[in-house]
Amino acid sequence: MAKFAAQLLALILLGVSEWGNSLSVPTTGRPSHSCDCGDLENHSQTQYVTLEEHKAKLEELEDKQKELNTQFHSLLNVLATGSKGISGLTLTSEELISQMQNSESPRVKRETGAPGSQHDYALPKVHSGAIKNGGAVYTRWGSGRCENDATLLYKGFAGGTFYGSMGGGTNFQCLPDEPEFQKSPNNKTRGGSMINGVEYQSFGYGIFPDSAHNQNVPCARCYTETRSAVMMIPAKRSCPAGWTQEYEGYLMSAYEHFQTSSTYECVDSHPEYVRGAEMNNDGSLMVFVKLDCITAGACSSYDSNLELSCVVCSK
């Protein structure tokens, strides 16, 4: 695919180069009489135009160059971002950029001065800075920090639906420490949905420190600028080869006998607490998760008495 795209781009550039040659026109003036008769006979067949017409043609050519440059960068960006997950490629996006940078740029000729005197200029080459990884964002539950080279976007605390509610949301939210509100309603007693703070229900199992039980769960939103893919793997503590481990922990969710359900989240194996929220309020609750290996048909490798681990990986 990469080789095909490179050939396609080369054809586009070649076509514009030939198009530029077709716009090549001599400036106003008469042919020099110092040339030999053969040259004079050839010049006598040339159709001369005004300086204004010549300038208009050159401006048209420059506009076409700008358009081509935009299309060229767009095609290369598509190739660089779209070829990463495709097997069987003969060129990587970086190799394609290198070939484009090192190759001779197509040149478009234009005539200035007397007929026959030509100057040419190159179409702009591709710069590697045009290709930029978009990065990825993930939530680190149970911690207000980001590891490795990930950037902390904001820290806050986990929010979820009250464990006894019949409605509300099912996914946990990482609420920032410093909120920003919009309009204040006139009726303070209006109906709506309420989001609650989330507490660890870790009890004294020896997995989290005993002091973590009933503490509120902090969270952080982290940005990996140089790694564009992030995944959470349940029941694993290590990442695939070539992936970076952001953090590991335990899989947690709402208790199965609660009236409300929740998503499964990976909570840091070294839990931190939200300071100032040490009271046992029993709002939204997180408990450890185990696999029923009988229903899963996986008792040969899973133990239904062991809480599931998890790991968050990026690449």
Side-chain angles (χ1 to χ4, degrees):
M1 175 180 177
K3 182 178 292 185
F4 171 78
Q7 293 172 347
L8 176 61
L9 292 173
L11 289 174
I12 293 176
L13 293 174
L14 179 60
V16 172
S17 177
E18 294 177 350
W19 180 87
N21 289 333
S22 69
L23 290 180
S24 177
V25 293
T27 55
T28 301
R30 303 190 63 84
S32 173
H33 291 287
S34 62
C35 62
D36 58 29
C37 296
D39 289 337
L40 182 58
E41 181 177 353
N42 291 334
H43 288 312
S44 65
Q45 304 300 322
T46 304
Q47 184 72 31
Y48 293 99
V49 297
T50 64
L51 179 60
E52 288 73 16
E53 290 174 328
H54 191 182
K55 291 174 62 178
K57 288 291 186 179
L58 291 178
E59 289 175 357
E60 183 181 357
L61 176 58
E62 290 171 354
D63 290 341
K64 190 64 178 181
Q65 279 187 269
K66 294 178 182 179
E67 179 183 352
L68 170 67
N69 192 35
T70 300
Q71 294 176 355
F72 183 80
H73 281 77
S74 298
L75 284 171
L76 192 56
N77 273 306
V78 170
L79 173 65
T81 56
S83 64
K84 292 182 178 180
I86 303 175
S87 61
L89 291 179
T90 57
L91 289 176
T92 65
S93 59
E94 291 78 9
E95 290 171 338
L96 177 62
I97 295 172
S98 177
Q99 285 194 10
M100 292 298 180
Q101 287 178 320
N102 295 330
S103 63
E104 184 70 19
S105 296
R107 309 187 77 84
V108 180
K109 295 182 178 180
R110 63 178 179 180
E111 293 185 356
T112 58
S117 62
Q118 294 185 339
H119 299 276
D120 55 2
Y121 53 92
L123 294 176
K125 290 186 177 182
V126 179
H127 297 285
S128 58
I131 307 298
K132 185 176 182 180
N133 198 323
V137 175
Y138 67 89
T139 302
R140 184 175 184 177
W141 302 101
S143 176
R145 299 173 291 107
C146 301
E147 298 294 340
N148 302 318
D149 58 350
T151 301
L152 177 66
L153 300 179
Y154 71 87
K155 66 182 185 70
F157 57 92
T161 301
F162 175 60
Y163 75 96
S165 295
M166 298 294 292
T170 58
N171 57 325
F172 293 108
Q173 295 291 317
C174 185
L175 300 171
D177 289 334
E178 299 178 359
E180 298 174 354
F181 296 99
Q182 296 198 48
K183 293 181 179 179
S184 177
N186 296 326
N187 182 6
K188 303 292 184 180
T189 60
R190 71 206 179 285
S193 183
M194 188 71 71
I195 193 169
N196 294 257
V198 181
E199 295 179 356
Y200 301 111
Q201 292 291 282
S202 55
F203 301 99
Y205 297 152
I207 299 176
F208 286 172
D210 292 348
S211 59
H213 183 61
N214 288 329
Q215 296 285 346
N216 278 53
V217 181
C219 58
R221 296 284 277 173
C222 305
Y223 172 55
T224 59
E225 182 176 3
T226 59
R227 300 181 294 279
S228 59
V230 172
M231 65 175 173
M232 186 273 283
I233 309 176
K236 294 290 287 185
R237 297 186 61 191
S238 58
C239 297
W243 288 69
T244 298
Q245 178 177 308
E246 298 298 331
Y247 73 96
E248 67 166 306
Y250 288 90
L251 201 65
M252 303 188 78
S253 73
Y255 185 50
E256 62 180 340
H257 296 301
F258 290 166
Q259 295 187 45
T260 184
S261 60
S262 74
T263 53
Y264 294 100
E265 303 294 351
C266 188
V267 180
D268 200 287
S269 57
H270 300 285
E272 300 173 1
Y273 321 134
V274 176
R275 301 302 176 189
E278 290 81 6
M279 292 182 61
N280 179 22
N281 293 314
D282 283 343
S284 183
L285 305 175
M286 277 185 167
V287 301
F288 296 114
V289 177
K290 296 179 288 188
L291 175 71
D292 184 343
C293 69
I294 297 177
T295 59
C299 292
S300 61
S301 54
Y302 282 84
D303 187 335
S304 294
N305 295 314
L306 296 180
E307 283 71 15
L308 294 176
S309 57
C310 57
V311 64
V312 173
C313 308
S314 64
K315 183 176 182 180

